[in-house]
Amino acid sequence: PFFASNTTLVAYFFGKEIWDSGAGLVAAILIAVCPGYISRSVAGSYDNEGVAIFALLFTFYVFVKAVNTGSLAWSLASAFGYFYMVFYFLDWVKHMLSDTKLFQAFLRITVTSAVAVGGIALGLGMVSGYISPWTGRFYSLLDPTYAKDHIPIIASVSEHQPTAWSSFMFDFHILLFLFPAGLYFCFKRLSDATIFIVMYGLTSMYFAGVMVRLILVATPAVCLISAIAVSATVKNLTVLLRSKNKVVQTGSTKGSGGSKSSSKALLDQSQPFQKNGAIALLFGAFYLLSRYATHCTWVTSEAYSSPSIVLAARGAHGNRVIFDDYREAYFWLRQNTPQDAKVMSWWDYGYQITAMGNRTVIVDNNTWNNTHIATVGRAMSSYEDEAIEIIRSLDVDYVLVVFGGVTGYSSDDINKFLWMVRIGGGVFPVIKEPDYLVNGEYRVDKGAAPKMLNCLMYKLCYYRFGEMMTEYGKPPGYDRARGVEIGNKDVKLEHLEEAFTTSNWIVRIYRVKPPNNRW
Amino acid sequence: MTVFSLVLLTYFMVVSGFVYDVIVEPPGIGSTQDPATGAVRPVVFLPGRVNGQYIIEGLSSGFMFVLGGIGIVLLDLALDKNRARSVKVSYAIAGISSVVIAYVMTTLFIRIKIPGYLRN
C-alpha cells in the first residue's frame, strides 16, 4: 500500500508531464481506485507486482522527463531505473549536439556497432546453449496458442488465460470509453511524450488482451490516457462556461452591437443554451466519474478483499456461512501426523500446507519442476495399483485432496483434474486425455469414462460419498459442484485409508498403508 | 486519421476478447434447454463467471466501448470553432447520445452477466 500511494503521486507528475496538471490530477484519482491495480496492491494479495508497477511508472516518467528537458541529471536518474540507458543517453546527446549531421553520424556508428556486438553475442549464446530462446511464459504472449498446445502447466493457470470483455469491464469500467477518446486527444496534440504514452497504452492493451494478469500492466497507461480525455473534455466545457461571462462584460463596456465579430461571441450568438448545455454535460461527466468510483469500491470489496483460505457463501436465507475447512485440515496435519510426514497434493496447496501444516510437500506453488508435478498428476490420474507404485517411490505418507461436492465449492480437485491429466500426459504419454472424456465431454456421472470412474483422484474424492445426502430431494451421492449424481458410488480403497475429512468434506486426507508383509 | 481508425479497430478487437475467442473457441452463442417445453433457447451471456464469454457478447460489448469513445470524440469535434453551426449541433447530439447509449448498454450487459452486481 505504501508503494501504491507512491504510484498515485508518480501518476500525477507523469500526467502533468504529458498533458497538463489537470490531467495529472485526474490520472492520480483514476489510478488510486482502479481495480486493475488494486487487485495486486491490496493487503492480502500484495505481490511484488505492486512495487513493480510503481517502478515501471516511475521509470517511464523519468524517461519522458529526460526527453522533454534534455538534462543530463534526469537522464542518469532514469538509467538507474532500467536498462534503457542507451536511449536516454542518445536523447541527451541529441540535445547536446545541436548539429544534426554530427548527431546522425554519431547515431549511425553507435547503433550499428551496438547491434553488431549484440547480434554476435546473442548468436554465440544461443549456439552454445547458454541462452535458451524465450521461456514459455513470455513466448505465449507473442503466440497465444503456444501454451495451450505445448505447455499445459502454463495454460492451466487461470490468470494466464486470454481476457474476456467482462474482465476488462470489471477492472476498468468507464476507462474503456475514455481510452479511445484519450488516444484521439493524444493524436491531436502530438509530442514525444504523447507518442510514448500512446505506444505504451496500445502495446500494454494488446498484451492485456492476451493474458488476464497483464491488465495490471495496462492499468497505468489506461488511467493516464483516460485522464487526458477527461481533462481535455472538461477543459473544453469550462471554456464554454467562462467565455460567456467575458462576452457579457465586453458587451457592457463597449456598448451593444460592437462585439459580434469577437471570437468569443461566436459561441453564444447562435446557441443561447450553450451555457446550460455545458453545465449539463459537466454534470454528466461528474456522474460518470462517480459511477466509476462506486464501481471500483464495490469491485474491491467483493472481488479483491476476500481471503482465499476461509471461504464464505450465502446461506438459504441470505445469511453468511463460513467454511474454515482448509485451516481445519492443515492444523489436523500439524497436530496428528509425525513430524517427518510427507504430503502429496496438487501444487496449488503446497505453500499453505508447508506454512500452516508444517509438513513437507511433494510439489508446491513454485512450479519450476514440471516433471515432478507431472509425476504427481500421473499418480492422481492412474488406477490405484499403478498410483501406489509412484506414491511409494516418492515416499509419500499422506495424500490430500480438495473436494467440493458437498458444499458446491467449484475450485476443487475434480474440476482441476483435467489439468492434472494434461500436465501428467505432457511428460508421460501413457496418460491420455481422451481416456477420461466421453465424446469430448468431461463427466463424473453414470455415463463417465471407465478410466475416470476408477482413477485415484475419483476414488479419493468420492470415498464414502455414495451414502451422503447433500441436497433435499436429490439421491444420495449427488455432487453439488458438478450438479450430477456420481457414477461409481461403491468406492473401495486397497492401499490407502481415510485419515481425516473436514466438517464440510472440503479437504480429505488419506494415509498410505504400509505394504503387506510377505511370506 | 487513417492511423487513428486503425488504432480504433485494433482496440475494438482486443477489448471484445478476440484473443480469447481464438484460443478458447467458445460458441458464437450459448443455448439452454427450457425444462418445461424442451425447446432450445439461445443464451447470449455466458453465466456464472467474469472471465468467460461467447463470441457475440464479446463483439457487442466491444462495439459499445468503441461507441462511447467515439461519442466523446464527437463532443470534442462539436466544440471546434471552424465548422458550420448545424454540423456542430448534430455532432453534439450524436456525441451525447452515443455516450449515453454506450454507458447504459454496458451497465445493462454487466448486470446481466454478473447477477450480484453492485449488491452486497
Side-chain angles (χ1 to χ4, degrees):
Chain A
F2 171 65
F3 277 105
S5 19
N6 289 347
T7 308
T8 323
L9 287 173
V10 175
Y12 165 68
F13 285 115
F14 201 178
K16 197 158 88 108
E17 199 60 36
I18 296 178
W19 198 257
D20 61 25
S21 56
L25 274 177
V26 180
I29 294 174
L30 290 180
I31 205 169
V33 285
C34 191
Y37 185 52
I38 286 185
S39 62
R40 278 289 194 259
S41 60
V42 73
S45 299
Y46 181 72
D47 199 356
N48 55 5
E49 283 140 339
V51 181
I53 292 297
F54 164 71
L56 178 108
L57 204 57
F58 182 69
T59 307
F60 286 163
Y61 162 63
V62 174
F63 173 60
V64 171
K65 190 95 184 166
V67 167
N68 282 345
T69 60
S71 82
L72 178 58
W74 280 108
S75 308
L76 283 178
S78 53
F80 264 123
Y82 243 126
F83 46 83
Y84 291 142
M85 190 174 184
V86 176
F87 295 155
Y88 302 160
F89 181 65
L90 280 181
D91 238 65
W92 170 68
V93 170
K94 185 167 101 179
H95 283 278
M96 287 293 116
L97 294 174
S98 37
D99 183 3
T100 44
K101 259 178 134 179
L102 190 62
F103 173 68
Q104 276 174 8
F106 172 76
L107 190 63
R108 222 178 309 129
I109 298 173
T110 326
V111 170
T112 18
S113 51
V115 168
V117 168
I120 293 175
L122 200 65
L124 280 177
M126 282 174 68
V127 160
S128 63
Y130 196 65
I131 312 172
S132 61
W134 294 98
T135 51
R137 196 185 297 192
F138 303 107
Y139 189 67
S140 68
L141 287 176
L142 296 174
D143 175 14
T145 58
Y146 179 72
K148 190 180 177 199
D149 298 330
H150 298 268
I151 316 179
I153 196 168
I154 292 178
S156 71
V157 181
S158 68
E159 290 171 320
H160 291 177
Q161 304 302 329
T163 325
W165 75 271
S166 35
S167 300
F168 277 121
M169 179 69 184
F170 205 64
D171 279 333
F172 286 138
H173 202 238
I174 58 166
L175 299 188
L176 287 173
F177 301 148
L178 297 172
F179 183 72
L183 286 178
Y184 162 76
F185 284 113
C186 284
F187 275 114
K188 248 177 88 170
R189 198 207 287 187
L190 276 182
S191 70
D192 287 340
T194 50
I195 292 181
F196 174 76
I197 196 69
V198 165
M199 299 289 318
Y200 172 34
L202 288 176
T203 41
S204 62
M205 274 306 270
Y206 164 69
F207 286 125
V210 174
M211 205 186 263
V212 177
R213 187 176 199 170
L214 294 179
I215 284 188
L216 169 73
V217 177
T219 302
V222 171
C223 284
L224 280 163
I225 296 184
S226 311
I228 291 178
V230 170
S231 170
T233 311
V234 167
K235 229 183 199 89
N236 282 344
L237 292 173
T238 46
V239 157
L240 272 187
L241 282 181
R242 289 206 190 115
S243 63
K244 177 123 195 239
N245 294 333
K246 281 193 187 149
V247 167
V248 168
Q249 283 173 359
T250 51
S252 61
T253 49
K254 281 189 189 170
S256 58
S259 49
K260 261 199 186 156
S261 51
S262 128
S263 59
K264 292 192 181 114
L266 195 72
L267 296 161
D268 71 306
Q269 288 298 52
S270 43
Q271 287 142 334
F273 296 108
Q274 194 88 4
K275 189 171 178 192
N276 298 337
I279 292 183
L281 282 181
L282 273 178
F283 267 119
F286 289 138
Y287 171 73
L288 281 183
L289 288 171
S290 67
R291 294 306 300 166
Y292 169 69
T294 317
H295 167 89
C296 294
T297 42
W298 178 82
V299 163
T300 310
S301 77
E302 282 298 310
Y304 294 133
S305 298
S306 311
S308 42
I309 195 154
V310 177
L311 308 169
R314 294 270 156 213
H317 304 286
N319 54 317
R320 188 176 274 253
V321 179
I322 301 284
F323 300 114
D324 209 5
D325 289 49
Y326 279 108
R327 294 195 302 159
E328 187 186 339
Y330 299 147
F331 282 108
W332 182 90
L333 268 180
R334 196 188 188 104
Q335 291 161 353
N336 295 291
T337 57
Q339 288 279 35
D340 60 351
K342 286 170 272 302
V343 180
M344 180 173 98
S345 71
W346 195 234
W347 62 264
D348 301 21
Y349 320 112
Y351 282 161
Q352 290 177 346
I353 297 175
T354 311
M356 282 190 272
N358 201 24
R359 294 286 176 268
T360 314
V361 288
I362 303 294
V363 285
D364 63 13
N365 304 63
N366 181 1
T367 53
W368 273 98
N369 189 344
N370 192 37
T371 314
H372 216 47
I373 296 179
T375 311
V376 172
R378 179 186 177 185
M380 295 296 194
S381 349
S382 312
Y383 295 123
E384 197 186 350
D385 298 325
E386 303 157 2
I388 198 66
E389 309 269 323
I390 301 173
I391 289 176
R392 292 232 171 86
S393 77
L394 289 172
D395 200 20
V396 173
D397 301 304
Y398 289 89
V399 181
L400 184 148
V401 293
V402 170
F403 173 58
V406 174
T407 47
Y409 176 53
S410 53
S411 298
D412 65 351
D413 282 356
I414 292 284
N415 277 349
K416 294 179 194 168
F417 180 63
L418 276 185
W419 287 112
M420 301 185 197
V421 171
R422 284 175 195 139
I423 294 171
V427 178
F428 303 104
V430 66
I431 305 283
K432 297 188 242 333
E433 189 183 342
D435 289 345
Y436 301 86
L437 305 172
V438 173
N439 290 337
E441 213 186 315
Y442 179 56
R443 297 168 67 168
V444 294
D445 55 4
K446 271 211 164 22
K451 181 121 199 212
M452 180 69 208
L453 291 176
N454 289 297
C455 68
L456 185 68
M457 177 55 71
Y458 187 95
K459 281 186 165 183
L460 293 181
C461 284
Y462 292 121
Y463 183 66
R464 287 193 308 116
F465 185 67
E467 307 116 35
M468 185 88 171
M469 284 287 289
T470 54
E471 206 167 305
Y472 180 69
K474 293 280 194 306
Y478 180 76
D479 183 343
R480 290 180 69 197
R482 262 64 54 185
V484 294
E485 187 186 347
I486 62 171
N488 180 6
K489 292 188 190 175
D490 185 26
V491 175
K492 290 207 181 0
L493 289 171
E494 195 183 331
H495 303 284
L496 296 132
E497 58 184 4
E498 188 179 0
F500 182 67
T501 298
T502 56
S503 45
N504 296 300
W505 285 54
I506 291 187
V507 184
R508 310 194 67 183
I509 304 178
Y510 292 83
R511 188 179 300 115
V512 178
K513 292 203 285 206
N516 293 327
N517 290 330
R518 286 187 292 192
W519 287 102
Chain B
M1 180 47 70
T2 34
V3 177
F4 183 61
S5 42
L6 275 178
V7 162
L8 266 189
L9 186 67
T10 323
Y11 178 71
F12 167 69
M13 282 178 27
V14 165
V15 138
S16 50
F18 185 71
V19 182
Y20 180 92
D21 295 338
V22 166
I23 306 253
V24 176
E25 287 173 25
I29 196 166
S31 59
T32 176
Q33 217 176 12
D34 189 69
T37 61
V40 176
R41 277 186 299 133
V43 169
V44 181
F45 291 96
L46 180 69
R49 19 183 273 215
V50 174
N51 55 354
Q53 65 176 41
Y54 295 127
I55 298 184
I56 290 191
E57 72 171 281
L59 289 174
S60 43
S61 318
F63 172 70
M64 285 303 152
F65 296 142
V66 172
L67 186 69
I70 291 183
I72 302 182
V73 170
L74 283 174
L75 275 181
D76 177 69
L77 285 177
L79 296 173
D80 185 0
K81 300 186 186 78
N82 304 326
R83 290 178 207 271
R85 186 214 152 177
S86 56
V87 172
K88 278 167 62 169
V89 168
S90 51
Y91 274 0
I93 293 180
I96 297 176
S97 51
S98 298
V99 173
V100 168
I101 289 178
Y103 177 70
V104 166
M105 292 303 286
T106 316
T107 321
L108 183 69
F109 286 170
I110 198 79
R111 217 173 270 153
I112 298 178
K113 182 106 176 154
I114 309 177
Y117 184 62
L118 285 185
R119 238 187 304 141
N120 288 21

